[in-house]
Amino acid sequence: MHSDQQIKHWTPICDLGDIVPNTGVCALVNGEQVAVFHVIDTTGGGKEARVFAIGNYDPNSEASVLSRGLVGNLGERIVVASPIYKQHFDLQTGECLEEPANSVTAWPARIEAGRVWIGA
């Protein structure tokens, strides 16, 4: 994990309201496809909006599709299931739970002033 102080550059992606809760969108950041997810975290009884960013390319299916996957939980982990072969990717770390060798990059993401930002 990166702290906000370690990030030298934040890229604005879109308004938080542009991403339907518990879904993702694809953004082009520095020439790379990034899957950006807006998740409503209901742990602790609240409804906190959180954002996550991982690589959009699914190495299992060799297709850029992760932003279209289904968001959910496996235990305490917030994941997206690839829409093709259904492998689960941890939204915080990019780890592919079924095939760790096929994990993807994860970027720091935050919400500031109603906008989604990705750190590089």
Side-chain angles (χ1 to χ4, degrees):
M1 279 295 160
H2 304 276
S3 73
D4 283 1
Q5 292 77 26
Q6 294 174 321
I7 306 303
K8 295 185 192 269
H9 181 73
W10 288 92
T11 300
I13 302 300
C14 63
D15 287 337
L16 181 63
D18 292 338
I19 309 173
V20 174
N22 298 318
T23 68
V25 297
C26 184
L28 192 61
V29 179
N30 298 324
E32 189 167 350
Q33 288 188 32
V34 178
V36 182
F37 297 91
H38 172 187
V39 176
I40 303 299
D41 188 350
T42 57
T43 58
K47 288 190 173 186
E48 176 188 2
R50 296 178 66 191
V51 290
F52 300 93
I54 63 172
N56 192 47
Y57 181 77
D58 176 3
N60 300 293
S61 64
E62 299 182 351
S64 296
V65 295
L66 291 181
S67 64
R68 295 174 175 253
L70 295 175
V71 175
N73 294 66
L74 286 178
E76 296 295 315
R77 296 176 110 168
I78 301 171
V79 298
V80 62
S82 174
I84 298 183
Y85 295 128
K86 311 302 184 224
Q87 283 93 349
H88 297 92
F89 293 84
D90 186 307
L91 291 182
Q92 291 185 334
T93 65
E95 179 185 6
C96 178
L97 303 185
E98 291 81 9
E99 296 286 335
N102 287 344
S103 297
V104 298
T105 302
W107 286 273
R110 69 181 185 194
I111 303 165
E112 186 176 305
R115 293 199 46 88
V116 176
W117 298 77
I118 303 299

